[in-house]
């Protein structure tokens, strides 16, 4: 069918099947990849365009419906002279684009609003953008940007030496707001073959493959386990337990079995039923109770008792200390699988280049991907090149391999480019999840509220394969007592295999689950002793000079007490407002809660190095070579700011080469909140090294000022001015490395697991509908000790995004295999769910970090759920012991709470709290 329409102000024609999605036609046929696809179901809004001036999900519009109509995509935005619109400028100024995958959709939805209302209020913006999901930002800065679009304030680039601490707009921001950023599915070669993976419909089964010859005649290849040189991958060098393609047995629903390779239309037309697989289902092992039962079937035959790993921390004599405590609190808390729900599904492509393979893929860890692909293919690591595309959100979920080995194997075998793009249901079925946990906690304190002892056991469901399970089980015992000084500690972490999706890294490595438990215990002890909940935490906060449960002395930068002090006026005001609201009878009750956290920056008791380079070419091009992949958190900008001040030249003069394993050194994984601290320090050292080389060439002193104009580098040293002709001097390259000082933990968990820690305290105000069991978070105030805010706008964005994900963890998100494998059954916070978030940045500088900086990527999420759950308890008397606290669970708990029936008015936080009623059910 031939269709004529207007596209971005010009006449256009398209010819093809009338049922073709508008999103597909724009991307595949009209080369307008600024329209992103996150779900193909109208759930995420990433593909939002304007159709006759109204926002529409392009994935829900058939090409047969666009005849004679007017379509506008993000590529249409501009000032008419090649510049940006005021809306795009406002997005950059406010840091409203993080990873960028939702940005096109947000811009087009906002464009529709602004055409009819140039100065909308917050509610109007939220209504207009409510159909577009964002997993990164927490929406706050997007709303701010749209409200300010009529008068976007210019951001002047900082001068030389003043980049650190400046609200510099993202160095990679313009491609994000123009739709030119290329994600994993955006730059697939036109002649590429495609892969569709056939996955297991069973959680546990044996299988046999039938005659594949008929399929192979239709396709370029049908890959099975027999085609994989080494059929195992995994995070740890000694654990390669997950097959690329299953061999005769599957261990979770969604496991890859067969890869169909061929022309795109052909592979997508083949139904799973056409692939000859004879299944023999077996009874699956679901949940921790089943996995640890005496007669439990083994998920992996060589893992007795289904145990992956265990270990703990012991200091003092916890068991002997409890009898001497004036107050003791105990509880058991359970969390569910949580889906990363990044808006960009896994995607990438590969091509063979002689005796090397190149993989272009959305990823958080190019060098680890390189080594894993090489191991699977039995190639030298140097024979594999990983080229990271723009990454549309990761949060830990894009640390594990996904499409990488499949496209690499197929491209190597066929000597053709080969691509693979997961569908949304496929992404959710196949990818890793946050570990479900059962945390058993017991804390005790003296009559003055000083903590004396804690005993915590955290048991994790690691799913079918190890993934990051060992990291979670090792990190949690270090953190399970919370950010508090406790002399007698026993903590234990353990992880068990089940026939569930592999549980991997997800923003916090198990620490958010543990925080729900230890913060509930802080509330309980404070209430028992009639001590204000904030004050109780302040009395016990770790401070510089204190010794942790692992025997590590915190020499400096432990700013939890300062965070709590910053919250005090907000805490008092919120309590007064809540008391006034609750004095009025009705079905709605408000409450205030608080949560604290600490988080070790980087890998646990492991070498954690980063290497960075800063080069100055003979032509005068100043380039940062950074292997630190930016997945939206802003490391491209942060590294540039740090390197610029270290060299002594303006950040605006820097070019950036990022991530490519052929062009950059290994900066380690973008995980564990490590890039600012670790790679930032390496960038600072690289910049200093280049500066020293320049000063030696000019025979200038340390305080000399530099300026760069083309190939002429000017050095001003006091009253002397020296010029360096770079064309004659040749290329200069500064290098820097940093590996945080840590030590292994002994059998009792004693040692130095991290070189530094982030600290934070958050408070939340909620409103609970007692009759419905619904919870509305009204406000969050988040005080975070970040060491030094290299870029305050980006730091705030990380905190706000973390708060939104923490809200989802507390109240909404529960992944159920086979039931919530899309974004309308699996709910993540929308723009209407996220409250007003105020960020307070505490700068207790860390001497080991660049300009004193630490990290903030994961800390933003960790204290949010505890604060919300504490606020619900304050409002209702119900203490949630299972999250998410879905409405039916809370309503059931309220009905079962005799305390609430007898006294519907909540106590002031810190007063006698009555019974802690568990919120269980369904």
């Amino acid at each position: 069918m031939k269709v004529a329409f207007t596209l971005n102000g010009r006449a256009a024609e398209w010819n093809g099947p009338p049922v073709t999605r508008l999103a597909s036609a724009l991307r595949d046929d009209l080369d307008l990849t600024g329209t992103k696809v996150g779900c193909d179901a109208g759930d995420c809004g990433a593909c939002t365009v304007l159709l006759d001036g109204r926002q529409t999900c392009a994935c829900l519009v058939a090409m047969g419906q666009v005849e004679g109509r007017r379509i506008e995509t993000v590529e249409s935005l501009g000032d008419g002279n090649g510049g940006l619109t005021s809306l795009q400028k406002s997005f950059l100024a406010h840091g409203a684009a993080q990873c960028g995958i939702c940005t096109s959709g947000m811009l087009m939805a906002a464009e529709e609003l602004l055409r009819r209302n140039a100065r909308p209020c917050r509610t109007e913006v939220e209504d207009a953008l409510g159909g577009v999901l964002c997993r990164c930002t927490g929406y706050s800065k997007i709303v701010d940007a749209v409200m300010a679009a009529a008068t976007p304030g210019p951001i002047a680039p900082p001068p030389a030496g003043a980049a650190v601490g400046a609200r510099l707009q993202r160095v990679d921001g313009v491609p994000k707001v123009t739709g030119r950023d290329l994600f994993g599915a955006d730059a697939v070669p036109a002649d590429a073959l495609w892969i569709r993976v056939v996955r297991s419909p069973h959680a546990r089964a044996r299988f046999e493959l039938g005659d594949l010859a008929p399929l192979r005649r239709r396709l370029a290849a049908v890959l099975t386990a027999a085609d994989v040189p080494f059929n195992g991958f995994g995070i740890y060098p000694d654990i390669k337990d997950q097959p690329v393609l299953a061999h005769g047995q599957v261990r979770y629903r969604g496991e890859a079995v067969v890869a169909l390779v061929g022309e795109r239309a052909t592979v997508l037309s083949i139904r799973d039923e056409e692939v000859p697989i004879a299944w023999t289902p077996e009874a699956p092992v679901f949940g921790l109770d089943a996995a640890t039962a005496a007669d439990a079937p083994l998920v992996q035959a060589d893992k007795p008792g289904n145990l992956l790993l265990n270990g703990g921390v012991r200091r003092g004599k916890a068991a002997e200390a409890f009898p001497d405590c004036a107050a003791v609190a105990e509880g058991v808390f359970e969390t569910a699988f949580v889906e990363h729900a990044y808006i960009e599904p896994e995607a990438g492509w590969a091509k063979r280049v002689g005796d090397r393979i190149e993989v272009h893929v959305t990823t958080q860890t190019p060098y680890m991907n390189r080594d894993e692909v090489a191991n699977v293919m039995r190639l030298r690591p140097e024979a594999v090149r990983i080229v990271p595309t723009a990454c549309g959100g990761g949060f830990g979920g894009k640390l594990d391999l996904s499409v990488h080995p499949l496209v690499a194997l197929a491209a190597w075998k066929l000597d053709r480019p080969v691509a693979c793009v997961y569908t949304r249901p496929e992404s959710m079925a196949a990818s890793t999840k946050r570990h479900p946990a059962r945390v058993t906690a017991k804390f005790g304190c003296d009559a003055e509220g000083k903590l004396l002892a804690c005993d915590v056991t955290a048991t994790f469901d690691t799913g079918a394969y190890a993934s990051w399970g060992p990291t979670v089980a090792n990190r949690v015992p270090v953190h399970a007592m919370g950010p508090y000084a406790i002399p007698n500690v026993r903590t234990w972490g353990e992880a068990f295999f089940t026939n569930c999706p592999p549980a991997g890294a997800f923003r916090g490595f198990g620490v958010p689950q543990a925080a729900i438990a230890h913060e509930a215990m802080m509330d309980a002890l404070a209430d028992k002793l009639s001590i204000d909940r904030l004050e109780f935490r302040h009395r016990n906060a770790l401070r510089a000079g204190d010794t942790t449960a692992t025997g590590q002395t915190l020499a400096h930068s432990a700013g939890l007490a300062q965070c709590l002090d910053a919250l005090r006026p907000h805490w008092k005001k919120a309590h007064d407002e809540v008391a006034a609201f609750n004095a009025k009878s009705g079905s709605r009750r408000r409450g205030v809660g608080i949560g604290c956290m600490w988080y070790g920056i980087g890998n646990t008791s492991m070498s954690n190095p980063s290497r960075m380079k800063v080069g100055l070419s003979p032509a005068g091009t100043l380039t940062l070579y950074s292997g630190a992949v930016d997945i939206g958190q802003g490391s491209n900008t942060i590294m540039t700011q740090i390197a610029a001040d270290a060299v002594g030249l303006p950040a605006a003069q820097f070019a950036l080469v990022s991530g490519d394993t052929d062009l950059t050194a290994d900066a380690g994984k973008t995980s564990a909140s490590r890039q600012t601290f670790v790679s930032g320090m390496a960038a600072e050292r690289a910049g200093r090294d280049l500066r020293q080389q320049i000063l030696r060439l000019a025979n200038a002193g340390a305080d000399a000022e530099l300026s760069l104009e083309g190939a002429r580098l000017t050095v001003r040293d006091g009253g002397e001015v020296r010029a360096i002709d770079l064309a004659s001097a040749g290329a200069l390259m500064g290098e820097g490395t940093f590996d945080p000082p840590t030590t292994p933990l002994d059998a009792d968990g004693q040692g130095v697991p991290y070189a530094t820690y982030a600290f934070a305290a958050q408070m939340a105000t909620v409103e609970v509908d007692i009759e419905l069991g619904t919870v509305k978070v009204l406000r969050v105030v988040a005080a975070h000790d970040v060491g030094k805010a290299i870029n305050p706008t980006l730091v705030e964005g990380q905190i706000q995004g973390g708060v939104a994900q923490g809200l989802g963890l507390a109240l909404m998100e529960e992944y159920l295999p086979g039931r919530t494998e899309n974004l309308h059954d699996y709910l993540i916070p929308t723009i209407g769910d996220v409250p007003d978030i105020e960020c307070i940045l505490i700068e207790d500088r860390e001497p080991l970090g660049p300009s004193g900086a630490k990290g903030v990527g994961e800390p933003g999420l960790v204290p949010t759920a505890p604060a919300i759950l504490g606020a619900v308890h304050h409002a209702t008397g119900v203490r949630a012991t299972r999250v998410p606290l879905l409405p039916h669970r809370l309503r059931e708990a309220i009905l079962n709470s005799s305390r609430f029936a007898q006294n519907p008015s909540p106590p002031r936080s810190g007063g006698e709290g009555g019974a802690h009623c568990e919120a269980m059910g369904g």
Side-chain angles (χ1 to χ4, degrees):
M1 177 180 179
K2 183 175 290 187
V3 181
F5 53 96
T6 300
L7 178 60
N8 294 336
R10 297 183 178 181
E13 284 190 350
W14 177 89
N15 195 6
V19 295
T20 301
R21 298 175 191 269
L22 172 58
S24 298
L26 289 171
R27 294 175 53 79
D28 301 334
D29 304 325
L30 299 167
D31 295 325
L32 295 175
T33 57
T35 299
K36 309 303 180 185
V37 175
C39 67
D40 257 349
D43 296 326
C44 74
C47 66
T48 298
V49 299
L50 299 187
L51 183 61
D52 292 336
R54 299 296 300 274
Q55 61 170 292
T56 304
C57 287
C59 70
L60 297 182
V61 177
M63 286 303 294
Q65 297 175 295
V66 303
E67 174 69 34
R69 304 183 74 177
R70 189 175 79 256
I71 300 168
E72 296 169 83
T73 71
V74 69
E75 288 89 349
S76 70
L77 300 182
D79 65 359
N81 297 308
L84 303 178
T85 65
S86 61
L87 175 61
Q88 291 168 310
K89 292 176 182 177
S90 190
F91 262 58
L92 294 177
H94 287 85
Q98 288 192 15
C99 81
I101 193 70
C102 76
T103 303
S104 296
M106 289 289 184
L107 285 167
M108 298 314 293
E111 178 71 11
E112 180 203 19
L113 169 66
L114 295 174
R115 286 180 184 178
R116 53 186 165 82
N117 183 356
R119 298 180 183 274
C121 68
R122 181 166 294 271
T123 300
E124 290 169 325
V125 174
E126 291 178 351
D127 287 345
L129 273 57
V132 186
L133 294 177
C134 176
R135 193 59 158 165
C136 294
T137 65
Y139 302 101
S140 296
K141 292 195 178 296
I142 294 174
V143 176
D144 292 342
V146 177
M147 292 177 64
T151 55
I155 296 182
V164 169
R167 292 183 178 269
L168 183 70
Q169 72 179 37
R170 288 176 179 268
V171 298
D172 54 1
V174 172
K176 297 181 187 299
V177 300
T178 56
R180 295 200 301 268
D181 225 1
L182 297 178
F183 294 84
D186 288 344
V188 175
D191 62 340
L193 299 172
W194 282 72
I195 286 180
R196 188 178 81 77
V197 183
V198 179
R199 300 185 178 276
S200 171
H202 306 289
R204 183 185 180 110
R206 303 281 177 173
F207 69 89
E208 292 184 2
L209 296 176
D211 183 8
L212 297 173
L215 279 176
R216 287 187 167 125
R217 285 193 290 270
R218 296 171 59 187
L219 299 168
V222 178
L223 301 181
T224 70
D227 296 295
V228 186
F230 181 80
N231 196 19
F233 66 91
I235 301 303
Y236 284 78
D238 59 334
I239 306 177
K240 304 298 179 187
D241 63 340
Q242 185 165 356
V244 175
L245 293 168
H247 181 61
Q249 179 182 13
V250 292
R251 297 182 175 89
Y252 75 100
R253 185 185 186 280
E255 184 160 2
V257 178
V258 173
L260 309 176
V261 190
E263 297 299 327
R264 185 177 184 182
T266 303
V267 297
L268 295 181
S269 71
I270 297 174
R271 296 174 291 113
D272 283 2
E273 293 78 13
E274 298 178 64
V275 182
I277 305 175
W279 295 102
T280 305
E282 299 176 346
V285 177
F286 287 153
L288 290 170
D289 291 336
T292 56
D295 59 348
L298 296 183
V299 176
Q300 296 192 24
D302 61 343
K303 300 298 182 186
N306 287 317
L307 178 67
L308 167 62
L309 177 140
N310 58 20
V313 172
R314 302 174 190 85
R315 187 169 183 82
K317 298 179 179 180
E320 297 177 15
F322 281 112
D324 295 329
C325 292
V328 174
E330 300 182 67
V332 180
F333 303 85
E334 295 188 354
T335 68
F337 281 110
V338 182
E339 161 67 22
H340 297 87
Y342 26 74
I343 304 302
E344 179 206 24
E346 294 80 352
W349 57 278
K351 66 177 180 179
R352 184 170 182 170
V353 182
D355 61 354
R356 302 184 75 213
I357 192 76
E358 289 186 3
V359 183
H360 300 247
V361 68
T362 176
T363 180
Q364 297 181 232
T365 176
Y367 269 86
M368 190 164 71
N369 289 167
R370 182 199 69 170
D371 295 347
E372 283 287 278
V373 170
N375 191 49
V376 165
M377 298 182 67
R378 285 303 191 230
L379 298 173
R380 296 175 296 105
E382 296 77 18
V384 179
R385 179 185 185 185
I386 302 294
V387 183
T389 65
C391 183
F395 319 113
K398 290 177 181 171
L399 290 169
D400 296 72
L401 292 185
S402 59
V403 305
H404 318 52
L406 296 173
V407 295
L409 286 164
W412 185 265
K413 178 183 178 73
L414 300 171
D415 199 14
R416 287 273 304 275
V418 178
C420 184
V421 178
Y422 284 3
T423 64
R424 173 57 58 184
E426 182 179 21
S427 172
M428 296 182 76
S431 63
T432 61
K433 306 287 176 276
R434 184 183 294 284
H435 284 74
R438 178 179 295 153
V439 184
T440 303
K442 181 179 181 180
F443 283 71
C445 64
D446 65 19
E448 301 303 315
K450 290 291 289 183
L451 291 167
L452 297 177
C454 84
D455 189 322
V456 179
T457 296
T459 305
F460 295 96
D461 180 342
T462 203
Y465 299 106
S467 183
W468 289 90
T471 301
V472 170
N474 283 330
R475 180 178 278 267
V476 168
V478 175
H479 293 80
M481 70 295 300
Y484 307 112
I486 309 177
N488 301 287
V489 172
R490 182 251 175 212
T491 61
W492 188 254
E494 55 190 10
F496 292 90
F497 292 105
T498 67
N499 289 120
C500 291
F506 189 168
R507 206 168 192 172
F509 289 106
V511 176
Q513 296 95 305
I516 289 171
H518 66 62
E519 291 306 282
M521 297 296 92
M522 296 305 104
D523 285 353
L525 290 175
D527 291 354
K528 283 176 179 285
L529 297 176
S530 298
I531 300 173
D532 179 83
R533 292 179 179 181
L534 184 152
E535 177 58 32
F536 185 89
R537 289 166 167 84
H538 194 274
R539 292 181 189 182
N540 291 287
L542 282 167
R543 293 167 168 83
D546 285 346
T547 299
T548 71
T550 69
Q552 177 181 3
T553 298
L554 300 178
H556 20 60
S557 192
L560 178 58
Q562 296 97 304
C563 291
L564 289 165
D565 286 336
L567 290 185
R568 284 187 189 276
H570 302 274
W571 180 251
K572 182 181 185 305
K573 180 181 179 183
H575 271 288
D576 292 342
E577 291 173 347
V578 162
F581 181 89
N582 290 332
K584 308 169 187 176
S585 60
S587 64
R588 298 178 184 273
R589 292 288 185 271
R590 291 184 178 177
V592 187
I594 189 168
C596 294
M597 75 100 227
W598 66 326
Y599 195 82
I601 303 300
N603 298 344
T604 307
S605 289
M606 295 172 63
S607 179
N608 188 22
S610 178
R611 183 178 171 210
M612 306 284 276
K613 296 181 179 181
V614 180
L616 186 56
S617 76
T621 302
L622 183 62
T623 305
L624 171 64
Y625 298 89
S626 170
V629 175
D630 193 327
I631 62 172
Q633 85 281 20
S635 60
N636 285 343
T637 306
I638 294 294
M639 300 304 150
T640 301
Q641 289 178 263
I642 292 168
D645 280 5
V647 175
L649 288 169
Q653 291 192 288
F654 273 73
L656 176 70
V657 174
S658 178
D660 188 325
T661 56
D662 272 13
L663 303 178
T664 66
D666 188 358
K669 302 174 289 294
T670 295
S671 68
S673 303
R674 61 178 293 281
Q675 291 294 18
T676 296
F677 178 58
V678 183
S679 293
M681 195 65 223
E684 183 174 286
R685 291 179 174 181
R688 288 177 182 171
D689 183 26
L690 177 61
R691 179 178 175 84
Q692 288 303 313
Q693 295 178 42
I694 293 170
L695 296 181
R696 283 195 296 270
L697 280 175
N699 193 26
D703 295 330
E705 296 180 359
L706 310 182
S707 61
L708 179 64
E709 296 180 9
R712 179 184 176 87
L713 180 63
T714 303
V715 182
R716 292 177 173 81
D717 187 13
E720 298 186 32
V721 178
R722 301 180 180 91
I724 298 174
D725 181 4
L726 294 172
S728 301
L732 302 175
M733 184 70 72
E735 296 190 17
T737 61
F738 180 59
D739 192 358
T742 63
T743 66
L745 300 181
D746 65 18
D748 289 326
Q750 299 300 292
V752 180
Y754 312 99
T756 191
Y757 299 80
F759 291 84
Q762 294 182 6
M763 54 169 282
T765 304
V766 306
E767 183 173 292
V768 181
D769 188 314
I770 302 301
E771 295 180 353
L772 298 178
T774 56
V775 179
K776 174 69 174 175
V777 183
L778 303 176
R779 179 171 165 79
V780 169
V781 184
H784 282 253
D785 167 24
V786 300
K788 169 65 179 178
I790 302 295
N791 186 317
T793 298
L794 300 185
V795 172
E796 292 162 357
Q798 285 296 288
I799 294 170
Q800 291 166 347
V803 166
Q805 289 188 359
L807 184 154
L809 170 66
L811 300 176
M812 302 174 66
E813 299 187 40
E814 183 170 19
Y815 176 79
L816 302 172
R819 293 172 57 188
T820 58
E821 292 172 353
N822 54 65
L823 292 175
H824 54 264
D825 292 315
Y826 185 89
L827 301 180
I828 67 173
T830 69
I831 200 167
D833 296 311
V834 177
D836 174 46
I837 304 169
E838 179 176 348
C839 298
I840 302 173
L841 305 185
I842 304 299
E843 297 184 318
D844 189 354
R845 297 196 175 203
E846 169 54 63
L848 287 173
S851 298
K854 297 192 286 191
V856 75
E858 284 147 306
L861 178 148
V862 177
T864 308
I868 291 171
L869 298 174
V872 171
H873 176 261
H874 180 220
T876 66
V878 169
R879 171 57 66 184
T881 58
R882 179 177 176 181
V883 298
L885 186 57
L886 299 174
H888 71 280
R889 292 176 182 156
L890 179 54
R891 176 61 178 162
E892 180 181 353
I894 289 171
L895 292 175
N896 291 336
S897 172
S898 59
R899 168 186 174 271
F900 188 83
Q902 296 168 6
N903 178 21
S905 297
R908 181 177 177 86
S909 175
E912 194 61 43
H916 282 189
C917 300
E918 295 185 345
M920 299 298 288

